[in-house]
Amino acid sequence: MRPNPPFDRARPEAHGALDLAELERRGVDPEEVVDFSASVNPCGPAPAVLEAARRADIACYPDRTCLGLRRTLARRLGLDVSWICPGNGSAELIDLLARLYLSPGDAALVVGPTFGEYGRASRLCGARVLRWDRGVRGGEVSLDLDGLAGAVLRERPRVVWLCSPNNPTGDLLPGTGVRRLLGAVEAAGGLLVVDEAYRDLVLRGEPDDLTGLLEGGRLVLLRSMTKAHALAGLRLGYALAPPEAVRALEVARPPWSVSAPAQAAGVAALSPAAEEHLLRSRRLLARSAALLAEGLSRLGLRFAPGAANFFLVEVGSGRGVREALLRRGLQVRDCASFGLPAHIRIAVRRPEENARLLAALGEVLP
Ligand SMILES: Cc1ncc(COP(=O)(O)O)c(C=O)c1O
């Protein structure tokens, strides 16, 4: 039987990370591949986080309301628990938010080029997806905020999706910019979703705290714990949103979607020992990013000096360079699915791994 529209013609979005079927087709051993295509902390989870996940009782159902994790987050963020909704990765929360706020025929505006899930989730709700794109030229990324605010007032989208720092361009919109955009979204009667998945991996400057803007009731912040705390396989993220949105998210979320090990790992990730691990990881990544930038410049490449732990690099053919690197056991993200076929995205890894990538790039570039 045919699935209902629009599911019958929906296609999955392209993503980074290893695809075992692809590697099998190419005869590449996954154990031999260094993954620069997913921007996850290469130092791995803090020992305390691993230990907490191991100790979780997987024979019992997890707490459906994630109360322990929400209380720990609430203390850390200075918010009430009623403003916090964990999810099975922030990807689950993107999906749920679209279902909560978008009906067939509604407009959703995606500030692109960006993570593909905002568009996918919106389309699956029957929404019309509009795009307002940053300019991307070699190493220059520019967002015309006045133009974007004007488009919001004109098109009156129900939901505006903004990623900051943005995947794959790395640009971070300061609090003043978010406030300006939120003003337009409020005037247009919509909801602004700011995805801060890479917030804890900002290596240059400090991201502004946007939680003070939540009070107005038209903003949702999404945070991921899979990147900075290296829990991509465990899956954990959370939304910060007004209580009525959190209540609706909890109803829409399938029960037990946040596993017991994920909840335990999340609590441990907020402990002082794990915070120290993250701080050390960020220091290492900042040094490593500076060396990677120097190496890319030496190769004569143009790249966006993003705020977070990845670079968008212009290479001519993203697909060709990805394939040539994969043959050498290095996977990068071909950016064609973002509408940037001349670019690849490289996650910052440890200096010795980056050096290997730079050497391989030197061989494969025309
Ligand atoms: C911008 C952005 N948001 C959300 C996600 C999903 O993160 P999570 O692992 O928390 O589901 C990703 C993953 O690549 C991402 O790049």
Side-chain angles (χ1 to χ4, degrees), residues 89-91 94 115 118 163 167 195 197-198 224 226-227 235-237:
S90 49
I94 292 170
F115 189 51
Y118 317 127
C163 184
N167 170 10
D195 182 349
Y198 296 96
S224 173
T226 70
K227 324 254 173 220
R235 318 293 308 128
L236 187 61

Side-chain angles (χ1 to χ4, degrees), residues 15-16 37-40 87-94 114-118 162-168 195-198 222-227 231-238 310 333 338 345:
H15 289 297
S37 71
S39 308
V40 171
N88 184 265
S90 49
E92 179 179 59
L93 296 160
I94 292 170
T114 192
F115 189 51
E117 291 301 312
Y118 317 127
L162 173 80
C163 184
S164 180
N166 184 48
N167 170 10
D195 182 349
E196 300 185 288
Y198 296 96
L222 287 178
R223 303 235 174 123
S224 173
M225 296 186 80
T226 70
K227 324 254 173 220
L231 299 173
L234 194 59
R235 318 293 308 128
L236 187 61
Y238 58 93
F310 51 85
R333 173 74 152 90
F338 293 107
R345 190 192 63 210

